[in-house]
Amino acid sequence: MVLPRAAKTQRRTRIQEEKEEQILEAALEVFSSRGFRGSTIDQIAEVAGMSKPNLLYYFRTKEAMHRALIDRVLDTWLDPLREFNAEGNPVAEIRSYIRRKLEMARDFPRESRLFANEVLQGAPHIEDELKGPLKKLVDEKAEVIRAWAKAGKIAKCDPYHLIFAIWSTTQHYADFDVQVRAVLGQENSGDGRFEDAARFLERLFVDGLQVREQPSSNYIDEM
Amino acid sequence: MVLPRAAKTQRRTRIQEEKEEQILEAALEVFSSRGFRGSTIDQIAEVAGMSKPNLLYYFRTKEAMHRALIDRVLDTWLDPLREFNAEGNPVAEIRSYIRRKLEMARDFPRESRLFANEVLQGAPHIEDELKGPLKKLVDEKAEVIRAWAKAGKIAKCDPYHLIFAIWSTTQHYADFDVQVRAVLGQENSGDGRFEDAARFLERLFVDGLQVREQPSSNYIDEM
DNA sequence: TGTAATGTTTACCAACCGGTCAAATTATCA
DNA sequence: TGATAATTTGACCGGTTGGTAAACATTACA
């Protein structure tokens, strides 16, 4: 029998499980740091510690590897947003969303960079996911935020751009890590930078979304 | 004579000027959308409308092209931050910095993506620029912001993370354009999104940096 | 105008890339 | 144990890649 996966035998072997895991781990390492086009199967094979044909025994093409990786990672990547709870206290919800996103940037920077690479290059492989599941989830949560604003629990603001702002500020610490470290200098590049970032961002968003009795500046915006 | 540039004749020809311009424009197009490793000289040659060896007549290697491009673009890219004026009104300065950065994201998205691609992949070609000129400039401006905070003109906050937040939120609209469009849907993907973003971000940062007589929430932070 | 310098292209090369093949090795289980 | 299926690898293939060589074309300028 030469068919690799899901052929005659529907069950997956223990070896299959382990090797596919190993390969996807290596693929994450390589794809996240070089992008799809910039990565080679040989590189992934080397990181995974096996030969190229062996990789291709488990995933028939480079694209298949990439797709499996995206599918596996996308779900967990969206978890923080899913936890966003309409019933909770708005300010507390936003604050803990920021914290969760920042923790993901700290603990799973490769996953963040994987998507960043992909989106940056025009999202050729994940367009459907963006326009489908992602948009749907964001639409839902945006509606929650809009309701909070309408009820006067937070300032009136465009919920989509609020979400974008939280995404960008938090993921920045994963995606632009090299730059952040370079600017902060060696002495401030320890793990403490995530604590500093959390403090700053929570403060920024909480105060920035405070309800104002009257516009705090000469700049007025209403939805 | 076979030497392309800066050899015997110190002056640059008119043709050299034009062709190098043409090539760098094409290189920007290609590098910004596929990253360094993912781009090929042939692609750049095609966009530039000339043959591959002709490109290599003006830039001896792919790396040389990339370097010339980076050098050319980096300066203008940092202009908005340079304009940041210590003498001006703090809130107005921050607001207009946001606006300038957002205008750059709108008008020069390829430049933004060029750097994003580079930094995302570990900044293998611009590490020196990050640790040198960039860090120096940011250190300067951070000092200005710190002085403003000390004088009570804006809220006390970590100036570095403030700058990171402004960078990330504004550049997001260039770097993650595909995602932004996908989430906003076709109807909201017109140029109006930059106006919406500007309104949201100015509001967020201005209110978020307002001086508080007393902490507006149960969360306290002092530098 | 003539000629030397500059600019352009065709043909090519070695290294690399994604992927195949067949043979060899290892695991499974009756 | 032995036979069958699953796994692994070295050798290889056609296409692409960064880059070169040399001939050809064009420009600048005395």
Side-chain angles (χ1 to χ4, degrees):
Chain A
M1 250 298 156
V2 195
L3 290 181
R5 296 167 304 123
K8 217 173 235 173
T9 54
Q10 291 299 344
R11 252 178 312 136
R12 309 236 318 259
T13 315
R14 175 183 50 85
I15 289 186
Q16 274 172 24
E17 210 95 40
E18 284 175 12
K19 288 299 163 92
E20 288 179 13
E21 173 65 33
Q22 235 181 89
I23 292 170
L24 289 182
E25 156 65 25
L28 175 59
E29 185 68 28
V30 175
F31 281 140
S32 70
S33 70
R34 308 168 86 101
F36 181 76
R37 271 182 260 260
S39 304
T40 72
I41 302 185
D42 290 275
Q43 288 162 359
I44 299 172
E46 196 185 332
V47 173
M50 58 184 92
S51 67
K52 179 169 66 170
N54 204 8
L55 247 77
L56 290 164
Y57 171 72
Y58 291 101
F59 297 95
R60 274 200 276 268
T61 65
K62 187 182 166 187
E63 289 230 22
M65 271 175 44
H66 190 255
R67 164 132 307 268
L69 183 59
I70 293 272
D71 287 347
R72 189 247 263 289
V73 165
L74 186 60
D75 249 21
T76 55
W77 195 245
L78 289 180
D79 277 345
L81 187 53
R82 276 197 208 90
E83 285 182 38
F84 210 96
N85 180 8
E87 319 300 328
N89 172 277
V91 171
E93 282 300 319
I94 288 171
R95 181 183 295 160
S96 71
Y97 180 50
I98 291 171
R99 188 161 280 275
R100 282 196 302 272
K101 285 290 290 177
L102 217 37
E103 280 166 4
M104 301 223 33
R106 184 192 59 198
D107 299 336
F108 306 104
R110 295 178 306 173
E111 283 80 350
S112 185
R113 286 190 210 112
L114 179 74
F115 288 118
N117 259 307
E118 195 57 24
V119 174
L120 191 52
Q121 308 197 357
H125 304 99
I126 59 169
E127 226 196 332
D128 294 344
E129 280 85 349
L130 296 185
K131 292 185 176 171
L134 177 68
K135 175 168 167 45
K136 185 160 167 284
L137 181 60
V138 174
D139 282 342
E140 256 174 63
K141 301 305 180 179
E143 204 40 61
V144 171
I145 294 171
R146 201 188 298 276
W148 286 344
K150 203 155 212 163
K153 293 178 180 174
I154 60 168
K156 283 180 179 169
C157 68
D158 186 319
Y160 289 94
H161 292 281
L162 170 57
I163 291 172
F164 292 152
I166 295 176
W167 283 353
S168 58
T169 49
T170 53
Q171 292 176 7
H172 187 78
Y173 292 94
D175 303 341
F176 292 76
D177 182 55
V178 202
Q179 193 182 63
V180 168
R181 286 169 182 267
V183 167
L184 288 182
Q186 210 163 0
E187 61 278 13
N188 296 102
S189 285
D191 278 358
R193 70 188 186 285
F194 284 98
E195 277 313 310
D196 296 342
R199 211 173 304 139
F200 173 82
L201 290 177
E202 292 186 6
R203 166 68 200 279
L204 174 71
F205 282 95
V206 168
D207 285 7
L209 295 175
Q210 207 71 8
V211 179
R212 297 157 304 157
E213 292 309 323
Q214 57 204 37
S216 59
S217 67
N218 58 351
Y219 190 85
I220 299 175
D221 103 38
E222 296 299 336
M223 284 176 52
Chain B
M1 250 300 156
V2 196
L3 290 180
R5 297 166 302 122
K8 218 173 233 172
T9 54
Q10 291 299 343
R11 251 179 310 136
R12 308 240 315 260
T13 314
R14 173 185 52 85
I15 288 186
Q16 273 174 25
E17 209 95 39
E18 284 174 14
K19 287 299 164 89
E20 287 179 13
E21 172 66 33
Q22 235 179 90
I23 292 170
L24 289 181
E25 155 67 26
L28 175 59
E29 184 70 27
V30 175
F31 281 140
S32 69
S33 70
R34 309 167 87 100
F36 181 76
R37 273 182 263 257
S39 304
T40 73
I41 303 185
D42 290 274
Q43 288 161 0
I44 299 172
E46 195 186 333
V47 173
M50 56 184 95
S51 67
K52 178 169 65 170
N54 203 8
L55 245 77
L56 291 163
Y57 172 71
Y58 292 100
F59 298 94
R60 274 200 276 268
T61 65
K62 188 181 166 187
E63 289 230 22
M65 271 175 44
H66 191 256
R67 165 134 304 271
L69 184 58
I70 293 273
D71 287 348
R72 191 247 264 288
V73 165
L74 185 60
D75 249 22
T76 55
W77 194 246
L78 290 179
D79 276 345
L81 186 54
R82 277 198 207 90
E83 285 182 38
F84 210 94
N85 180 8
E87 319 299 329
N89 172 277
V91 171
E93 282 300 319
I94 288 170
R95 181 183 294 162
S96 70
Y97 180 50
I98 291 171
R99 188 161 279 275
R100 282 196 301 273
K101 285 291 289 178
L102 216 38
E103 280 166 4
M104 300 219 40
R106 184 193 59 199
D107 299 335
F108 305 104
R110 296 178 306 173
E111 283 81 350
S112 184
R113 285 190 209 114
L114 179 74
F115 288 119
N117 258 306
E118 194 56 25
V119 174
L120 191 53
Q121 308 197 357
H125 303 99
I126 59 169
E127 224 196 331
D128 293 345
E129 279 85 350
L130 296 185
K131 293 186 176 172
L134 177 67
K135 174 167 169 44
K136 184 160 167 283
L137 181 59
V138 174
D139 282 342
E140 256 174 62
K141 301 304 181 179
E143 204 40 61
V144 171
I145 294 172
R146 200 188 299 276
W148 286 343
K150 203 154 211 166
K153 294 179 179 173
I154 61 169
K156 284 180 179 172
C157 68
D158 186 320
Y160 289 95
H161 291 282
L162 170 57
I163 290 172
F164 292 153
I166 295 177
W167 283 353
S168 58
T169 49
T170 53
Q171 292 176 6
H172 187 79
Y173 291 94
D175 303 341
F176 292 77
D177 183 53
V178 201
Q179 193 181 64
V180 168
R181 286 168 182 268
V183 167
L184 289 182
Q186 210 163 2
E187 61 277 15
N188 296 102
S189 286
D191 278 359
R193 71 189 186 284
F194 284 99
E195 278 313 311
D196 296 342
R199 210 172 304 138
F200 173 83
L201 291 177
E202 292 186 5
R203 164 69 199 281
L204 175 71
F205 282 96
V206 167
D207 285 7
L209 295 175
Q210 208 72 8
V211 177
R212 297 157 304 158
E213 292 309 323
Q214 56 205 36
S216 59
S217 66
N218 57 352
Y219 189 85
I220 300 175
D221 103 36
E222 296 298 336
M223 285 177 49

